[in-house]
Each structure stands twice: as C-alpha cells, then as structure tokens.
Amino acid sequence: MSRDDVAFYGFTPVPRDPDVLFKDHPTASGPNPKQDLFTVDDLPLPDSAVVRAVKEFVKKELDEQTYNHSHRVYIYGTALVKTHFPSWTYDNETYYLSCLLHDIGTAERFLATTKMSFEFKGAIVARDLILQQGGPEDQADSVCDAIIRHQDIFVKGGNITMVGQILQLATILDNVGIRANLIHPRLIETTTAAFPRKGWSEHFGRVIEKELALKPWCHTSTFEVPNWKEGVRSNFATDVRGNDVMRPFD
C-alpha cells in the first residue's frame, strides 16, 4: 500500500481515545466550542456506481430508522471534521460507505443468523459487497476496519484509522448525544428533518437488547457489567434511551 493510498482511504492513524484527541484542542475544548453553521444541504452525499449499488443493498436490508441513522452519522461526522479537524484529508466516499454499512450486521438477514457480533459480521458483509461492486481493496479494507472497531468506545490506548475515529465520534453523538456541542444545533435540526429519527433511541435500544439476548458473548456486552446475563438491565440500551440531546427529535 502506497503512502498516498494510506491517506486517501482514511488509514491515517489518530489517537483512539477522544479525550486525548480533544485535549487542549483550539476549537473543541472548553465550555464554548466552535459550532460552524452548517445545514444538511451544505454537506452533499458522495455519489458513484459503488455508492449507488451499496445504497440499493442497504435500503433493501435495513429498516428505515437504521438507514436514516447511517446518513445522520455521515453528516455529523463530516461537519465535525470540517469544523475541528480541517487539515484531515480522506476520501469522502470511503467514509460514506462506512456509514451506510456500519450497522448492516443488525439487519434481520444477519443478526440472528450468525454467532458473530454484529460489527464483525457486518464488516465482512461490507468488505465483500464493496469488492463485488468493483471497489478498490484498500477502500473495502478501510470500511471493514472502521466497522469492526466502531463500538470500541472503551479502548483508551493506541490509535485508530482516521475514518474509524470519525465513525466512532459520529455514531456515539447520534446514539447517546456525546459531544453534540461540537456541531451547530441548526445542523441537528436540518439533518433530523432530512433523515428523521422516527423513535431511533427506543428502536436502537431494542436492537441492543435483542443482540445481547441472542449472543450474550457479543462485543456489545463490553458496555455492560462483567458477566452480564439476560434479565440484567442493559447499560448501553439505557444510555441510548436516555439521549436527552436528541429526545426533541425522536
């Protein structure tokens, strides 16, 4: 892999821990972080033959709430980078594909038909799909890596790919409301109008509980108490349902 491909497909290493990433950050730290006034229309979605084929696939496999969540993740992540990391460079299409496919493992077709955690199964599905549609292997690998790691929220050491970090920041923002103060409220308003939540907090909370019940060994259980067992209330589902930032839009 050339140095150019490393950067282009979003493999540039950045700190995994957002507390390290944002420590003493010139625009994102402190009580009043910068909030550039973007609306959803300012951040157009990438388009290509591969993107169109992947969108057709996910529209067929995902429910509307998850499909819309995937688009909000793209918008919020793109805005975060433009405002707080303007020097970061990566292929927008690769990030968009990561967003479109990051929850494909929760689709009815996959969640209960594998013993693998949904992120890992979804990452394999995503990589195979992109390659089948003629996407470059580096792009497929970048998407796969980002999806595998997108719930590694509690890992403090080391690095993650740039695309992987953006995906993590944007998913936790939409799901729990963490660091929502880094984007403008108007962006949230226009994005939820274009891609409605339709009760996403409750919907995703149920998905979490379903996977935990089916596969108590799954990676999602890292959000839970040690030796979690069915019947114990899910910490993660509780946090998702308690997303006060997004409650007005649910």
Side-chain angles (χ1 to χ4, degrees):
M1 186 188 298
S2 72
R3 287 181 178 271
D4 289 344
D5 285 345
V6 166
F8 184 79
Y9 290 111
F11 286 102
T12 302
V14 298
R16 204 320 293 167
D17 187 352
D19 290 340
V20 174
L21 188 69
F22 288 116
K23 182 176 173 57
D24 299 324
H25 192 283
T27 63
S29 59
N32 298 298
K34 185 180 181 184
Q35 296 177 337
D36 282 338
L37 180 51
F38 294 121
T39 70
V40 68
D41 293 333
D42 296 320
L43 305 169
L45 304 174
D47 183 49
S48 70
V50 173
V51 165
R52 289 190 291 274
V54 169
K55 286 178 81 168
E56 182 180 353
F57 177 82
V58 297
K59 270 190 171 181
K60 181 179 71 173
E61 299 293 345
L62 292 177
D63 53 62
E64 184 180 7
Q65 288 97 328
T66 309
Y67 181 80
N68 286 352
H69 163 68
S70 300
H71 283 83
R72 294 193 302 273
V73 167
Y74 175 79
I75 297 297
Y76 297 154
T78 302
L80 278 168
V81 171
K82 284 183 176 293
T83 298
H84 301 292
F85 301 101
S87 66
W88 284 16
T89 59
Y90 58 92
D91 174 42
N92 284 330
E93 178 181 309
T94 300
Y95 176 55
Y96 185 41
L97 292 171
S98 301
C99 296
L100 284 171
L101 289 161
H102 81 280
D103 279 345
I104 194 63
T106 67
E108 194 69 30
R109 177 177 169 187
F110 303 117
L111 186 64
T113 58
T114 178
K115 294 179 177 63
M116 296 177 69
S117 300
F118 88 86
E119 311 98 303
F120 305 146
K121 175 65 174 182
I124 294 168
V125 170
R127 185 179 189 276
D128 288 347
L129 177 64
I130 291 169
L131 291 175
Q132 288 165 8
Q133 300 304 322
E137 185 171 7
D138 285 346
Q139 181 178 68
D141 286 349
S142 179
V143 171
C144 182
D145 194 277
I147 294 173
I148 287 172
R149 296 191 65 184
H150 86 268
Q151 289 204 136
D152 276 352
I153 304 302
F154 304 110
V155 175
K156 295 297 185 182
N159 298 328
I160 190 170
T161 69
M162 186 176 285
V163 162
Q165 179 62 272
I166 303 165
L167 185 63
Q168 285 194 358
L169 291 171
T171 53
I172 204 72
L173 191 161
D174 194 51
N175 287 337
V176 185
I178 294 175
R179 298 185 183 85
N181 63 334
L182 299 185
I183 59 177
H184 200 282
R186 183 62 181 153
L187 180 64
I188 296 175
E189 293 169 6
T190 58
T191 302
T192 54
F195 302 104
R197 290 177 65 85
K198 295 196 169 184
W200 173 248
S201 294
E202 177 61 28
H203 180 85
F204 188 50
R206 290 179 180 175
V207 171
I208 292 165
E209 291 165 342
K210 181 177 181 180
E211 187 185 32
L212 287 169
L214 286 168
K215 296 173 273 191
W217 56 82
C218 67
H219 187 251
T220 296
S221 71
T222 60
F223 290 83
E224 311 303 338
V225 295
N227 199 30
W228 181 92
K229 291 180 173 62
E230 189 170 5
V232 176
R233 188 174 72 164
S234 165
N235 292 332
F236 190 21
T238 299
D239 287 347
V240 167
R241 291 189 175 106
N243 186 351
D244 291 334
V245 173
M246 299 299 176
R247 194 181 307 282
F249 308 102
D250 254 341

